[in-house]
Amino acid sequence: MKDAVESLLEKFDLEFTSEQCDFFRFLYENLHLEELSNIEQHFFIDFFYKSETLRNMAAFALGLADIMHEICENIPAVEQAERLANGKEQRLYYERKWQIARRRKLHRQTIKKGNILYVPFDEYKKETGPIIICLEQTTGMAAYSELCKSIILPLFMSAHRERRDLYIVPYDCQVHVHFRFEDGHLNLSDFKDFIDYRAKGEAEVLPVLHFVKGLLQENQHCTEADIIIFTEGTPIDGQHLVGKQAKAVLEEMKRKYHAEFSVIVMHEHNFNEQQFWFANKAFFADDAIQ
């Protein structure tokens, strides 16, 4: 019996090698391509066929499955079981399960006084915050661009499963553009721009952190935001991260938005623990690069 990918390729009369099918199947599952229209699916397949970068990203992702699994599993989840679910039916099952759990929590927190029910709707409205990827795109990171982007791909599935907005914010010494994927849903135009985006220069972390704070302010109804910073590890403003002003900004983000920071560094010897004092977790890509 043909799976969804084989049926899709047959529908558009396309022939892929077995390796290309494996790459495409990974993208199909992680980016929820089944939700796209026929025209959008055709566009994506054509982009995949023409984009060496996208194919390389999928190859990296498959080759580094264990490392990427560790990274994704350490990004806090709404419920651990949700990250273990595979397939559309299971994802829907866990989404329904989460909604039921929220309603039960609301019921438990409801207080009755006489004939009046005090229902904490404000608490119910709070949703898990966005996943924000700060992706250093500099001259020094050029060699690792496809690797970093490949690590981001499975986070689309995590965001989609938990109904969280996924932001990708490329940066060098400032932020020139950012991409928003609402509830982890694929926007083909933004996704293509993200894949093709390149920048040069040196990296500064403070401007992108201020930009992230602005995104969190736009999502004030949300809590528990996850911020993942990809970096070569040597920002030119690193010494300012330990300054009074930067500490105040970062601690406000942690306190007000329950922001949790993860840092993915290309080489461990570049990592300055004092400068990245605000990181809850740090991962090193040395094994992946080698």
Side-chain angles (χ1 to χ4, degrees):
M1 183 176 178
K2 294 178 181 177
D3 65 13
V5 170
E6 292 170 332
S7 299
L8 184 62
L9 296 178
E10 184 179 85
K11 180 168 65 175
F12 294 117
D13 194 25
L14 296 169
E15 291 187 10
F16 282 3
T17 65
S18 60
E19 186 179 53
Q20 288 173 330
C21 281
D22 289 340
F23 297 163
F24 186 78
R25 183 171 283 103
F26 171 85
L27 296 173
Y28 185 93
E29 293 172 353
N30 281 270
L31 300 178
H32 302 280
L33 299 186
E34 77 277 2
E35 297 181 342
L36 301 180
S37 67
N38 284 347
I39 293 175
E40 290 173 325
Q41 288 179 343
H42 204 171
F43 176 89
F44 187 91
I45 292 174
D46 186 61
F47 176 50
F48 169 81
Y49 188 77
K50 293 177 180 177
S51 174
E52 183 180 0
T53 298
L54 183 56
R55 293 195 302 276
N56 288 344
M57 285 169 54
F60 269 128
L62 284 170
L64 302 173
D66 291 340
I67 294 173
M68 293 172 67
H69 177 77
E70 178 185 355
I71 290 172
C72 292
E73 286 300 309
N74 276 276
I75 305 305
V78 173
E79 184 176 330
Q80 181 69 12
E82 293 185 38
R83 290 206 179 271
L84 303 178
N86 294 306
K88 186 175 180 180
E89 290 185 4
Q90 284 180 291
R91 290 198 299 270
L92 291 174
Y93 166 76
Y94 282 110
E95 285 173 3
R96 289 193 298 269
K97 183 178 177 182
W98 173 238
Q99 290 296 325
I100 292 170
R102 293 180 73 196
R103 288 196 293 270
R104 287 177 178 171
K105 181 180 179 183
L106 184 67
H107 179 74
R108 289 196 304 270
Q109 293 177 338
T110 298
I111 299 173
K112 184 176 181 180
K113 292 185 178 180
N115 62 344
I116 299 175
L117 293 174
Y118 294 88
V119 185
F121 285 115
D122 287 342
E123 181 67 25
Y124 181 74
K125 288 179 181 177
K126 289 183 179 179
E127 301 173 4
T128 306
I131 300 173
I132 303 176
I133 312 295
C134 302
L135 178 62
E136 182 182 323
Q137 293 277 264
T138 59
T139 303
M141 283 284 281
Y144 316 119
S145 180
E146 291 178 358
L147 171 66
C148 293
K149 290 177 180 179
S150 72
I151 295 173
I152 292 171
L153 290 177
L155 295 176
F156 277 86
M157 176 176 280
S158 299
H160 185 282
R161 185 180 300 147
E162 297 166 13
R163 296 184 179 179
R164 305 174 69 179
D165 287 352
L166 175 66
Y167 290 90
I168 301 175
V169 187
Y171 71 96
D172 45 35
C173 60
Q174 57 183 306
V175 175
H176 304 278
V177 66
H178 76 284
F179 309 104
R180 177 183 178 230
F181 300 92
E182 185 175 359
D183 292 341
H185 293 291
L186 195 63
N187 175 310
L188 288 180
S189 177
D190 282 353
F191 182 77
K192 184 178 184 300
D193 289 344
F194 155 61
I195 299 300
D196 294 337
Y197 187 84
R198 299 287 186 275
K200 295 182 178 179
E202 296 181 287
E204 293 186 34
V205 176
L206 280 176
V208 74
L209 290 176
H210 281 289
F211 186 84
V212 167
K213 182 182 176 184
L215 293 180
L216 293 177
Q217 288 172 336
E218 293 175 6
N219 291 268
Q220 288 195 27
H221 62 289
C222 295
T223 60
E224 298 178 17
D226 291 310
I227 300 161
I228 308 167
I229 302 173
F230 286 79
T231 176
E232 190 182 12
T234 54
I236 60 176
D237 63 345
Q239 71 276 15
H240 298 304
L241 293 172
V242 296
K244 186 175 181 180
Q245 183 179 6
K247 283 191 173 183
V249 170
L250 286 158
E251 288 182 354
E252 180 187 2
M253 292 164 71
K254 284 174 169 280
R255 182 184 68 255
K256 190 172 182 179
Y257 304 104
H258 303 281
E260 182 156 321
F261 292 85
S262 300
V263 180
I264 300 178
V265 188
M266 295 304 101
H267 294 285
E268 187 171 0
H269 63 77
N270 287 341
F271 183 63
N272 187 317
E273 187 175 348
Q274 284 71 40
Q275 292 178 356
F276 288 94
W277 59 271
F278 55 91
N280 302 87
K281 305 180 187 74
F283 302 93
F284 305 104
D286 298 69
D287 293 340
I289 292 169
Q290 293 169 6

